[in-house]
């Protein structure tokens, strides 16, 4: 009897500020994380070295096969309540998405997901009204794939990082027996994505018009800089301590966020326990502390290794001492499977 050797599993998160890679001894659990690496998005030399290190000798066309998490600017991840009785009516979903999210559904590749358990929405079940619309413009799908190929990566699996991260957080809350909802805040340059999740699933979502770019004029004004470009470079350089002016930088964002949370708390009777900003760059990690402080809640303290172990994901001797910070949540979220128990395949010979 011969045991088939498992192909290595490579998982990569591409954000607008970094690239993070993990390699495991398998594509699916049970798996052991054997190696990890990261570099800034503009570090081309560093990225070339990472690809060379992780690239198998027999890699087809010199491409690194990987499961990839991406964050396209026009990604759509929105919770909504639909009328399940109308789901099979011709055009209902397209009209709903167009009116609710101000998009042209014809231009989007969309998926409909159950907001509670993350599985594909069952159109034959008229009792489920809470769903998640997830997707991106069809042309963006092609652009993302082309970009990954240019980066010497072949996406075996392509996921919106927002969605995989939310799924991981919901599962983590279940594992940790944390009942109180938390706010997940993704800060892009132009907008912020606000989500409320609990161990029951994705409960609410909203787009906020205040992204990182909205903080640049405040930096310019407070420091008396000559132009916004100078303020931008300083803001993202990690060479100045902005925590003192942090409350002014996030004031407009906090107003929007508190309004959204207030509506949720009045509607549901539940109060928010924590806030997490999972996709911030390490240079802007201090922003999470400012936001948490202004919201008057505590930062969520996450011990991810026991949760990963519960999902059959462990660390090798080479990676056992790795410090798993918030920044690694995105790439780690690509690894677990919540919908199936995987078994090793055996070949007889």
């Amino acid at each position: 009897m011969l045991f088939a050797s498992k192909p290595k599993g490579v998982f990569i998160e591409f954000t607008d500020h970094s690239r993070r890679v993990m390699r495991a001894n398998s594509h699916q659990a049970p798996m052991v994380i054997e190696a990890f690496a990261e570099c800034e998005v503009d570090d081309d030399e560093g990225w070339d070295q990472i690809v060379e290190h992780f690239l198998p000798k027999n890699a087809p066309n010199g491409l690194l096969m990987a499961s990839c998490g991406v964050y396209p600017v026009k990604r759509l991840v929105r919770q909504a309540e639909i009328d399940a009785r109308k789901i099979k009516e011709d055009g209902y979903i397209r009209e709903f998405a167009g009116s609710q999210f101000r998009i042209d559904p014809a231009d989007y590749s969309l998926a409909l997901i159950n907001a509670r358990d993350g599985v594909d929405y069952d159109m034959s079940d008229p009792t489920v009204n809470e769903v998640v619309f997830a997707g991106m413009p069809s042309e963006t799908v092609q652009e993302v794939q082309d970009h990954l190929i240019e980066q010497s990566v072949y996406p075996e699996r392509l996921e919106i990082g927002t969605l995989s991260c939310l799924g991981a957080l919901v599962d983590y809350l279940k594992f940790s027996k944390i009942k109180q909802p938390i706010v997940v805040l993704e800060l892009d340059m132009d907008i912020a994505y606000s989500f409320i999740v609990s161990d029951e699933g994705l409960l609410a979502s909203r787009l906020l018009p205040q992204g990182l770019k909205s903080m640049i004029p405040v930096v310019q004004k407070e420091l008396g800089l000559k132009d916004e470009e100078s303020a931008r470079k300083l803001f993202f350089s990690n060479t100045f301590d902005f925590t003192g002016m942090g409350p002014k930088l996030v004031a407009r964002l906090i107003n929007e966020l508190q309004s959204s949370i207030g509506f949720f708390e009045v509607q549901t009777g539940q109060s928010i326990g924590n806030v997490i900003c999972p996709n911030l760059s390490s240079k802007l990690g201090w922003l999470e502390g400012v936001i948490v402080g202004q919201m008057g809640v505590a930062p969520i303290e996450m011990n991810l290794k026991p949760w990963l172990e519960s999902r059959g994901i462990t660390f090798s001797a080479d990676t056992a001492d790795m410090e798993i910070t918030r920044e690694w949540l995105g790439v780690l979220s690509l690894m677990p499977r919540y919908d199936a128990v995987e078994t090793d395949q055996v070949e007889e010979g």
Side-chain angles (χ1 to χ4, degrees):
M1 180 180 291
L2 297 177
F3 290 86
S5 60
K6 292 181 180 180
K8 302 286 186 179
V10 178
F11 306 85
I12 309 176
E13 181 193 39
F14 292 86
T15 72
D16 60 1
H17 53 77
S18 67
R19 302 163 175 141
R20 292 188 178 86
V21 187
M22 282 189 165
R23 186 183 67 221
N25 66 344
S26 173
H27 282 84
Q28 56 199 26
M31 65 170 71
V32 179
I33 297 173
E34 301 176 333
F36 61 92
E38 66 177 322
C39 70
E40 296 294 313
V41 73
D42 55 359
D43 184 2
D44 294 332
E45 182 179 351
W47 178 245
D48 290 342
Q49 292 174 355
I50 289 174
V51 171
E52 183 179 356
H53 176 74
F54 283 88
L55 193 67
K57 293 181 179 179
N58 59 347
N61 301 318
L63 295 176
L64 181 59
M65 312 281 281
S67 298
C68 301
V70 296
Y71 299 81
V73 173
K74 293 185 178 180
R75 64 190 180 276
L76 179 71
V77 179
R78 299 289 298 277
Q79 180 266 1
E81 186 171 328
I82 61 172
D83 187 342
R85 296 169 301 177
K86 298 181 178 179
I87 193 73
K88 293 184 179 180
E89 293 181 9
D90 186 39
Y92 171 72
I93 288 298
R94 291 192 300 273
E95 292 173 6
F96 184 93
S99 62
Q100 289 289 315
F101 312 130
R102 299 179 183 178
I103 63 170
D104 185 349
D107 295 337
Y108 272 69
S109 296
L110 289 174
L112 208 56
I113 302 169
N114 191 314
R116 293 299 182 178
D117 55 23
V119 302
D120 291 340
Y121 181 75
D122 183 0
M123 297 182 66
S124 65
D125 186 351
T127 65
V128 178
N129 296 318
E130 295 181 46
V131 299
V132 177
F133 285 79
M136 64 182 88
S138 300
E139 64 177 20
T140 301
V141 176
Q142 188 61 53
E143 290 170 358
V144 169
Q145 291 175 333
D146 291 345
H147 175 69
L148 295 180
I149 295 294
E150 291 173 1
Q151 301 299 312
S152 301
V153 173
Y154 183 86
E156 294 180 291
R157 190 175 98 233
L158 186 63
E159 292 195 25
I160 297 176
T162 302
L163 199 60
S164 63
C165 188
L166 291 174
L169 284 168
V170 169
D171 196 63
Y172 177 82
L173 294 176
K174 288 180 182 177
F175 170 79
S176 303
K177 296 180 171 54
I178 299 173
K179 295 296 184 180
Q180 201 167 18
I182 67 171
V183 170
V184 184
L185 189 64
E186 288 188 347
L187 287 166
D188 280 13
M189 287 302 295
D190 293 307
I191 59 175
Y193 296 80
S194 169
F195 305 96
I196 298 176
V197 301
S198 76
D199 62 344
E200 296 182 352
L202 177 58
L203 306 180
S205 63
R206 186 181 170 191
L207 289 182
L208 307 178
Q210 282 77 35
L212 293 171
K213 192 183 294 183
S214 68
M215 302 178 193
I216 305 303
V218 184
V219 172
Q220 181 188 359
K221 179 181 178 182
E222 291 297 313
L223 296 181
L225 299 175
K226 61 180 180 179
D227 53 44
E228 286 194 5
E229 180 59 22
S230 300
R232 186 191 68 80
K233 288 181 179 179
L234 184 61
F235 183 67
F236 290 105
S237 68
N238 200 29
T239 59
F240 185 86
D241 185 359
F242 285 99
T243 52
M245 70 174 71
K248 292 182 179 179
L249 295 178
V250 301
R252 292 174 59 199
L253 172 66
I254 295 299
N255 286 339
E256 291 278 352
L257 193 55
Q258 286 179 328
S259 173
S260 176
I261 292 173
F263 178 78
F264 169 82
E265 291 180 337
V266 169
Q267 192 177 41
T268 65
Q270 301 183 73
S271 59
I272 298 300
N274 307 98
V275 176
I276 183 173
C277 305
N279 73 333
L280 279 177
S281 72
S282 56
K283 292 179 180 179
L284 294 176
W286 55 270
L287 259 179
E288 181 177 271
V290 172
I291 292 169
V292 166
Q294 293 300 295
M295 294 296 299
V297 298
I300 185 169
E301 296 182 6
M302 302 182 72
N303 185 3
L304 293 174
K305 283 190 176 180
W307 165 67
L308 290 168
E309 290 171 359
S310 76
R311 284 296 176 182
I313 302 169
T314 55
F315 291 78
S316 69
D318 292 334
T319 61
D321 293 333
M322 176 189 178
E323 182 183 0
I324 304 181
T325 58
R326 168 185 53 75
E327 289 89 349
W328 288 95
L329 179 62
V331 66
L332 287 168
S333 73
L334 298 170
M335 296 181 173
R337 289 285 302 274
Y338 312 112
D339 58 347
V341 176
E342 307 294 347
T343 57
D344 297 340
Q345 291 187 348
V346 178
E347 289 184 0
E348 294 186 2

